[in-house]
């Protein structure tokens, strides 16, 4: 010690420590009040910042109080230096963790707002968090007087060996970054691969893409495979899409009447069914003279891929009911079978029915 410890020294140190604790308490109350106001705003980034400041600011106040108490005591230069280094390292650690939390939260907010879904692409979040923590670790080493130049050189040489050993992992990592940067696929998109997998993209992380099928099962696809395969994205360039429903009527039908009735049913479905597009213009297109019917296509508009099943269901029910009311006949498929005595037409057998041909 540089001098004798007196009551005045202890009082001054106690006042400095108490001031730091009181400041931490008051700042925490202030930040809690700011947090309640941040929750009322539309932007979620201010929530992330305030939550991080709740960790940094109180610890900074406590560290300042401890540093003031140490300065008030008659400590030796070595002890004073060690105390200052410990407080500095502690403060750098808290700031680094909080900065990583803030930046990662902001990245998550940006990716969420751009994709317009609740999920987030964790690949960018994780990379950002690791980079910030690595920078903080290097700053701590530099503060402690440890040279980081040899470490960086060793990391460079070791990184080359690791890169050769982890080719597949790195390929998936850069494939995921490329997919997100090019905006080919975003969380929330409904995709279908040429290999048959399809569903909503839940997340794209550093190694794989998670897809939730309509059966609510998760399909895990490596990013490298996703980048190389043929894929259909049903959410881009826009979320709305059109679906085709095939139908047919008998040859003795009045096609003008069929078109008018079908158009009315389409308009009714587009207006009343959730997930349909009310402003969709009904479209009926006749295209085939079949063996037993005149075939046509009905074009429906849906707001999102999974809505098509409900809309098709309602449309077919209502169209069938309306055709029966209007006397429009939908002929059953027929097969022509050649027998020795002659030729007979056998209707297509339906499930649960027995068809007995008569010669």
């Amino acid at each position: 010690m540089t001098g004798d410890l007196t009551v005045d020294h202890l009082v001054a140190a106690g006042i400095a420590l108490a001031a730091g604790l009181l400041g931490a308490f008051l700042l925490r109350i202030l930040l809690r009040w700011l947090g309640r106001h941040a929750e009322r705003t539309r932007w979620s980034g201010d929530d992330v910042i305030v939550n991080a400041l709740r960790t940094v600011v109180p610890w900074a106040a406590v560290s300042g109080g401890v540093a003031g108490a140490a300065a008030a005591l008659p400590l030796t230069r070595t002890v004073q230096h060690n105390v200052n280094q410990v407080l500095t390292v502690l403060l750098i650690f808290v700031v680094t963790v909080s900065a990583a939390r803030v930046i990662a939260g902001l990245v998550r907010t940006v990716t969420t707002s751009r994709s317009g879904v609740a999920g987030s692409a964790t690949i960018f979040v994780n990379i950002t968090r690791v980079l910030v923590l690595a920078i903080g670790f290097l700053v701590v080493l530099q503060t402690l007087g440890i040279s980081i130049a040899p470490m960086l050189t060793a990391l460079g040489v070791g990184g080359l060996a690791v890169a050769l050993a982890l080719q597949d992992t790195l390929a998936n990592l850069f494939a995921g970054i490329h997919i997100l940067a090019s905006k080919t696929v975003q969380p929330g998109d409904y995709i279908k691969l040429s290999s048959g997998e399809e569903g909503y993209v839940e997340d794209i992380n550093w190694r794989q893409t998670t897809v939730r099928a309509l059966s609510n099962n998760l399909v895990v696809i490596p990013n490298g495979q996703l980048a190389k395969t043929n894929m259909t994205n049903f959410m881009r360039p826009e979320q709305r899409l059109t679906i085709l429903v095939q139908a047919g009527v008998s040859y003795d039908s009045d096609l003008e009447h069929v078109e008018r009735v079908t158009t009315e049913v389409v308009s009714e479905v587009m207006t009343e069914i959730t997930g349909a597009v009310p402003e969709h213009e009904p479209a009926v297109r006749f295209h085939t003279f079949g063996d037993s019917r005149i075939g046509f296509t009905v074009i429906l508009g849906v707001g999102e891929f999974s809505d098509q099943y409900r809309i098709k269901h309602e449309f077919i029910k209502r169209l069938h009911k309306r055709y029966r009311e209007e006397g429009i006949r939908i002929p059953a498929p027929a097969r022509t079978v050649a027998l020795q005595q002659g030729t007979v037409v056998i209707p297509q057998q339906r499930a649960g029915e027995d068809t007995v041909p008569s010669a």
Side-chain angles (χ1 to χ4, degrees), residues 61-130:
V62 172
S63 299
V66 174
L73 294 174
L75 303 177
T76 62
R77 289 185 178 180
T78 303
V79 175
Q80 184 73 37
H81 176 70
N82 292 335
V83 171
N84 290 337
Q85 273 199 334
V86 170
L87 293 176
T88 303
V89 170
L90 177 62
L91 191 58
I92 292 175
F93 175 76
V94 174
V95 170
T96 301
V97 173
S98 302
R101 188 180 304 171
V102 169
I103 297 176
L106 293 177
V107 170
R108 181 182 290 109
T109 300
V110 171
T111 55
T112 302
S113 62
R114 288 188 176 182
S115 60
V117 293
S120 64
T122 58
I123 181 172
F124 287 144
V125 177
N126 292 334
I127 291 176
T128 303
R129 185 182 291 114
V130 170

Side-chain angles (χ1 to χ4, degrees), residues 269-342:
V269 171
M270 292 295 100
T271 304
E272 298 179 1
I273 303 303
T274 303
V277 182
E279 59 271 18
H280 172 75
E281 183 179 354
V284 179
R285 299 292 182 264
F286 295 97
H287 55 73
T288 305
F289 287 102
D291 294 336
S292 59
R293 64 178 65 192
I294 296 178
F296 61 92
T297 300
V298 182
I299 304 176
L300 305 175
V302 298
E304 193 264 333
F305 182 84
S306 61
D307 294 332
Q308 63 174 307
Y309 302 103
R310 179 175 60 257
I311 293 172
K312 281 183 180 180
H313 170 77
E314 289 295 332
F315 172 73
I316 292 175
K317 284 200 310 180
R318 298 188 183 199
L319 186 66
H320 181 263
K321 180 180 179 181
R322 185 69 184 277
Y323 277 5
R324 294 185 66 178
E325 294 174 353
E326 298 290 338
I328 300 174
R329 190 168 64 89
I330 303 176
R335 293 180 297 175
T336 301
V337 181
L339 301 178
Q340 293 182 353
Q341 291 83 359

Side-chain angles (χ1 to χ4, degrees), residues 75-276:
L75 303 177
T76 62
R77 289 185 178 180
T78 303
V79 175
Q80 184 73 37
H81 176 70
N82 292 335
V83 171
N84 290 337
Q85 273 199 334
V86 170
L87 293 176
T88 303
V89 170
L90 177 62
L91 191 58
I92 292 175
F93 175 76
V94 174
V95 170
T96 301
V97 173
S98 302
R101 188 180 304 171
V102 169
I103 297 176
L106 293 177
V107 170
R108 181 182 290 109
T109 300
V110 171
T111 55
T112 302
S113 62
R114 288 188 176 182
S115 60
V117 293
S120 64
T122 58
I123 181 172
F124 287 144
V125 177
N126 292 334
I127 291 176
T128 303
R129 185 182 291 114
V130 170
L131 287 177
V132 175
L133 292 177
I135 293 173
F137 177 71
L138 294 178
V139 172
V140 169
L141 293 180
Q142 194 69 29
T143 303
L144 296 175
I146 302 174
S147 178
I148 63 175
M151 183 178 297
L152 293 177
T153 303
L155 288 176
V157 176
L160 180 60
V162 172
L164 293 176
L166 300 177
Q167 293 184 22
D168 293 339
T169 301
L170 293 177
N172 289 326
L173 172 63
F174 288 109
I177 294 175
H178 171 71
I179 289 171
L180 287 175
S182 62
K183 297 184 179 181
T184 304
V185 178
Q186 295 288 326
D189 291 352
Y190 191 96
I191 62 173
K192 182 177 182 179
L193 307 184
S194 58
S195 54
E197 296 88 352
E198 61 179 296
Y200 289 96
V201 178
E202 288 282 312
D203 190 23
I204 304 176
N205 58 32
W206 62 275
R207 183 182 179 275
Q208 62 203 16
T209 297
T210 305
V211 176
R212 183 177 296 276
L214 293 179
S215 60
N216 209 32
N217 296 323
L218 292 180
V219 181
V220 178
I221 306 171
N223 293 332
Q225 178 182 343
L226 183 64
K228 293 186 294 184
T229 189
N230 295 330
M231 175 185 61
T232 302
N233 191 334
F234 292 95
M235 297 293 191
R236 302 185 183 276
E238 60 179 340
Q239 186 171 339
R240 292 182 177 181
L241 67 153
T242 56
I243 58 175
L244 308 180
V245 178
Q246 304 298 329
V249 293
S250 62
Y251 276 93
D252 58 357
S253 301
D254 182 355
L255 297 187
E256 294 292 339
H257 184 213
V258 171
E259 183 176 7
R260 183 173 63 256
V261 171
T262 306
T263 301
E264 292 175 358
V265 175
V266 173
S267 300
E268 178 183 327
V269 171
M270 292 295 100
T271 304
E272 298 179 1
I273 303 303
T274 303

